[in-house]
Amino acid sequence: MMWFLLCVGALIAGYFVYGGLVEKIFSPRPEQKTPALTMNDGVDYVPMSDKKVYLIQLLNIAGLGPIFGPILGALYGPVAMLWIVFGCIFAGAVHDYFSGMLSVRAKGASVPSVVGQHLGVAAKHFMNIFAVLLLLLVGVVFVLGPAKLLGNLSDMNVAWWVAIIFGYYIIATIVPVDKIIGRFYPFFGALLLFMSIGLLVGLGFSDKGFYTAGLDFSNLHPKELPLWPLLFITIACGAVSGFHATQSPLMARCMQNEKSGRFIFYGAMIGEGVIALIWCTLGLSFYQSPEALNATLATGGPAAVVHEVSTSLLGAVGGVLAILGVIVLPITSGDTAFRSARLIVADFFKLPQKALVKRLLIAVPMFVIGYLITKAEFGVIWRYFGWANQTTAMIMLWAAAAYLIKEGKLHWICTIPAIFMTSVTITYLANAEIGFNLPMNIATIIGAITTVVFTAGFFWKYKKPALLPQEQNG
């Protein structure tokens, strides 16, 4: 618990210290009207208070990732907590801040348009396809995950819960953002708060499980899976997540002052980091060893861990409430995942979304495809989701770095995490079974060489104008 409290303290300090530096480098303009005020359409561009926008942003980004990911990451040992802390402060929260604020500056544009504005037309077209694919994977993962949790709580077949959740997603995707999302999220937030605090208190007073004595930097994974790069793919949400780049524009269309960006975007990521720390700590502390945790995962996956930990620490009633608090996270991310996908497709085809029939024109085929994806094995879907998630984060960080270079500002706050995530995603793709299935030593070399080449090409492209002042002068 001491390590947990120190990590939480580091996250809070990171918000005020490093978050303040990031905000100062970006330089928000509080006097400039935001898209919520200049483009209010009553559907997607709707002004809302900072507190409500923050809560929606937190629930949008905090899906199953900061729960299932840290539970799986706990198999590697307490070193997983360090990745959550440092990844969140120096990569994830920076990524979320720039994905939100660059969208505000681009009239609430979705992530492909933001990326295209700063990395070029080719990057925009790539992201149009890649972001929609990621969002469909997210939506499917966030249907199957809560459906399994609800199936564990009831006698109803998981397939029925899948149908019910899909039905809610369809409604939430097409109605104005303030009708369902804006009204029900405060209630969902209360469940989230109960889950977070309740489980920590239950763990503190419980005599069950094994309490980790201190940080162990060795790889404790019972299957001896390599820490590099798998830990950084396994724990995405809670450290750094490209999915957030698809969600931030939703709230960029609702916030009323650029000065609120650090609280809404950087702050929500810090909040998600705390949630990730809670579940990583539970994974490390509730079970006597990584082998015991892995045994539960083998029987029912992370959903079984959530059910066992919640009911054991809080009893039947409290456990149900805690599980409901977990369930609202993927549901409140799944609905906005499909909503974001609709908006990206609409932006690409330049199809206004004020009329309901035009929203349905995009949403119906999208949900049909999503339903078909649910037929695939959950583990395979999760692995593809993890890689696609981190690749999206990598691209968004490079776009933010390009923006800062062109503005003559300190770009390293985005460039360094972009370089790191490039190495992670390329190495993982080269090594993983869903990729090229190469030996780890070869995959690592490929990841390093690709990262060096890409980084050199990036600096050649974006540093060249600085050497040609006559071009800058027109």
Side-chain angles (χ1 to χ4, degrees), residues 101-117:
M101 296 306 296
L102 291 180
S103 177
V104 171
R105 293 281 174 87
K107 300 181 180 180
S110 299
V111 63
S113 297
V114 172
V115 168
Q117 182 179 350

Side-chain angles (χ1 to χ4, degrees), residues 48 140 154 188 445:
M48 289 189 283
V140 169
S154 65
F188 292 155
I445 294 172

